[in-house]
């Protein structure tokens, strides 16, 4: 694949850059991104497409010319990122938050048995995590093993930067790299964690609204917090606040 000269850079984060090609989008990964991860993300998106969840359609995965890594090309959803709407229109924040919560609950109503299992993914990530002692790792894995199993579609990185408010008024969900089949409360816990890092008050409002609308006890979501915090640590994202995440990993605080 050869990137056109008129490409517009939208997001640059870690080992990837997202470009707007006009009628399509392309996510370009550098050489540090394992090829298997690139194909896995494309496969996740294809499976989500087949489920009927509103999302960009995967078009192709190809190698960038002249050794520039690999790229995943998708359709373009005309619209605005929800995070930008929330920031630009603070008076409508709670209206957008209600849409955000309802969309997450809608996603959890789908099933896709071809997706990776959530517990298996979290277990691998915890086992790969540096910077925690053996006792903490054992406690995390014990907690994970005892948690409820389910087979709902879970996004794994559900936050307002991954939601597009389409020009047609519908909501679309992007970035399915961490999608699994699993327990909705774990997915909600990850969203709560991601929101809390930015704004604790908004995260608390999200959690209260999600639990009320989904009928999920708040304690059930909170029980997942050490596991999802450890998973987020294992991703080692650019700009990650490791100290804050390590404080969430303390299993004792969530007994």
């Amino acid at each position: 694949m050869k990137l056109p000269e008129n490409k517009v850079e939208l997001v640059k984060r870690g080992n990837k850059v997202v470009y707007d090609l006009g009628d399509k989008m392309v996510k370009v990964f550098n050489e540090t991104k394992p090829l298997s991860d690139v194909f896995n993300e494309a496969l996740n998106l294809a499976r989500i497409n087949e489920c009927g969840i509103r999302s960009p359609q995967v078009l192709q995965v190809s190698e960038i010319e002249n050794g520039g890594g690999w790229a995943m090309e998708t359709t373009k959803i005309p619209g605005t990122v929800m995070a930008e709407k929330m920031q630009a229109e603070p008076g409508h924040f709670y209206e957008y938050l209600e849409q955000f919560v309802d969309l997450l609950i809608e996603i959890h109503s789908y099933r896709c048995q071809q997706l990776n299992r959530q517990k298996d993914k979290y277990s691998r990530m915890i086992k790969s995590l540096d910077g925690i002692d053996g006792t903490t790792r054992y406690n995390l894995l014990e907690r994970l093993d005892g948690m409820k199993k389910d087979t709902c579609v879970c996004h794994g990185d559900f936050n307002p930067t991954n939601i597009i408010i389409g020009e047609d008024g519908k909501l679309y969900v992007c970035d399915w790299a961490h999608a699994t089949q699993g327990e909705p409360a774990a997915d909600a816990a990850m969203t709560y964690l991601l929101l809390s890092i930015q704004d604790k008050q908004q995260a608390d409002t999200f959690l209260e609204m999600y639990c009320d609308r989904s009928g999920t006890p708040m304690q059930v979501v909170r029980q997942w917090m050490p596991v999802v915090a450890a998973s987020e640590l294992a991703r080692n994202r650019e700009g990650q606040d490791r100290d804050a995440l390590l404080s969430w990993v303390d299993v004792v605080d969530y007994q």
Side-chain angles (χ1 to χ4, degrees):
M1 177 181 183
K2 183 177 181 179
L3 294 174
E5 294 293 332
N6 62 344
K7 64 184 182 298
V8 178
E9 182 178 312
L10 296 180
V11 178
K12 186 173 184 178
R13 187 180 301 133
N15 56 10
K16 65 184 178 185
V17 183
V18 179
Y19 295 105
D20 185 340
L21 303 185
D23 59 339
K24 294 177 288 190
M25 305 291 288
V26 63
K27 184 183 291 187
V28 178
F29 303 92
N30 64 28
E31 296 86 345
T32 67
K33 182 74 169 180
L35 179 57
S36 58
D37 286 354
V38 179
F39 276 98
N40 183 67
E41 180 171 347
L43 184 58
N44 281 351
L45 181 53
R47 286 169 170 164
I48 292 303
N49 294 161
E50 291 170 356
C51 282
I53 297 174
R54 294 182 301 279
S55 55
Q57 304 288 306
V58 62
L59 298 175
Q60 66 169 327
V61 173
S62 55
E63 191 172 12
I64 299 297
E65 287 187 8
N66 301 319
W70 287 78
M72 183 179 73
E73 191 175 74
T74 68
T75 56
K76 178 180 177 179
I77 307 295
T80 306
V81 176
M82 180 176 278
E84 296 175 0
K85 283 278 193 179
M86 287 178 161
Q87 185 173 10
E89 304 173 24
H92 295 282
F93 173 82
Y94 290 101
E95 177 184 335
Y96 290 127
L97 187 63
E98 287 178 343
Q99 296 177 18
F100 179 76
V101 168
D102 288 343
L103 180 59
L104 181 58
I105 294 171
E106 178 187 343
I107 289 170
H108 294 158
S109 71
Y110 288 86
R111 296 287 191 277
C112 182
Q113 295 183 353
Q114 290 78 27
L115 289 172
N116 292 328
R117 298 180 190 277
Q118 185 183 66
K119 280 194 171 186
D120 292 345
K121 180 178 178 67
Y122 283 153
S123 178
R124 289 194 301 270
M125 297 181 83
I126 291 170
K127 289 176 181 176
S128 72
L129 181 59
D130 295 327
I132 62 173
D133 57 61
T135 299
T136 300
R137 182 175 289 105
Y138 175 82
N139 288 338
L140 286 166
L141 292 171
E142 282 287 293
R143 167 166 291 230
L144 176 61
D145 186 59
M147 299 298 280
K148 178 185 174 184
K149 293 181 181 179
D150 209 331
T151 58
C152 301
V153 171
C154 293
H155 184 274
D157 192 14
F158 192 80
N159 69 83
T161 66
N162 286 330
I163 312 302
I164 297 174
I165 302 175
E167 291 180 353
D168 58 5
K170 298 178 181 179
L171 301 182
Y172 297 81
V173 189
C174 305
D175 200 352
W176 290 89
H178 300 285
T180 59
Q181 55 171 316
E183 166 58 31
D187 210 23
M190 177 61 80
T191 295
Y192 175 74
L193 174 67
L194 296 174
L195 294 176
S196 184
I197 291 172
Q198 302 297 323
D199 190 314
K200 180 67 162 53
Q201 183 176 355
Q202 290 183 5
D204 288 339
T205 303
F206 157 78
L207 184 57
E208 182 177 348
M209 188 182 296
Y210 173 82
C211 291
D212 179 61
R213 294 191 175 215
S214 67
T216 305
M218 194 173 294
Q219 299 91 324
V220 173
V221 178
R222 290 189 180 279
Q223 285 173 354
W224 280 97
M225 290 307 303
V227 171
V228 299
S231 172
E232 180 64 14
L233 265 173
R235 294 181 191 178
N236 197 30
R237 300 200 218 202
E238 184 179 357
Q240 185 182 80
D241 188 340
R242 290 185 62 85
D243 290 339
L245 289 171
L246 282 169
S247 70
W248 289 90
V249 172
D250 190 347
V251 174
V252 176
D253 286 349
Y254 296 90
Q255 297 291 356

